[in-house]
Amino acid sequence: MNTTLLSWAALGGAILCEVAGTTFLGKSEHITKLWPTLASALFYTSSFFLLAQALRSVPLGVAYAVWGGLGIVLTAIISVVVFKQRLDPTALFGIGLIVAGVVVVNGFSKSVSH
């Protein structure tokens, strides 16, 4: 299979694991509940492993920007859906800027190999 495709798939998995780890961290009640804390650690470890695999073909700066940016957006969505938190217009605007940044990096940067 294509190494670049596998690297991007690993990056996608890293993002999902990071979001899951953050979600379980929120459920751990300040690391006082054992199972959510262990799940959080497992997902964060998996996220870093997959991020390292993504770096086989995806440049570090691009991988980190996509990982961080999409992780923030998905975590914000989880915070609204799971934790019933509200995002004000300023937060939504900021998240929109993050999405725009990821789109610009992936769509127009010559650093990204597709």
Side-chain angles (χ1 to χ4, degrees):
M1 186 176 263
N2 186 339
T3 305
T4 302
L5 181 61
L6 286 174
S7 293
W8 282 99
L11 183 58
I15 293 164
L16 294 176
C17 286
E18 189 268 332
V19 171
T22 303
T23 302
F24 278 106
L25 188 62
K27 295 279 190 183
S28 74
E29 295 185 16
H30 309 285
I31 310 180
T32 60
K33 289 191 168 185
L34 178 62
W35 295 114
T37 300
L38 291 177
S40 182
L42 176 67
F43 278 113
Y44 278 133
T45 301
S46 299
S47 178
F48 283 113
F49 174 79
L50 290 168
L51 180 60
Q53 300 311 304
L55 296 178
R56 292 175 191 251
S57 297
V58 182
L60 175 63
V62 172
Y64 191 76
V66 172
W67 179 75
L70 292 181
I72 289 168
V73 170
L74 292 173
T75 300
I77 292 168
I78 295 288
S79 75
V80 170
V81 173
V82 174
F83 297 106
K84 307 298 183 210
Q85 297 172 347
R86 295 184 52 89
L87 298 174
D88 64 13
T90 304
L92 293 171
F93 179 71
I95 291 169
L97 290 174
I98 292 167
V99 170
V102 171
V103 168
V104 167
V105 167
N106 278 301
F108 303 104
S109 174
K110 296 201 184 326
S111 298
V112 178
S113 56
H114 293 287

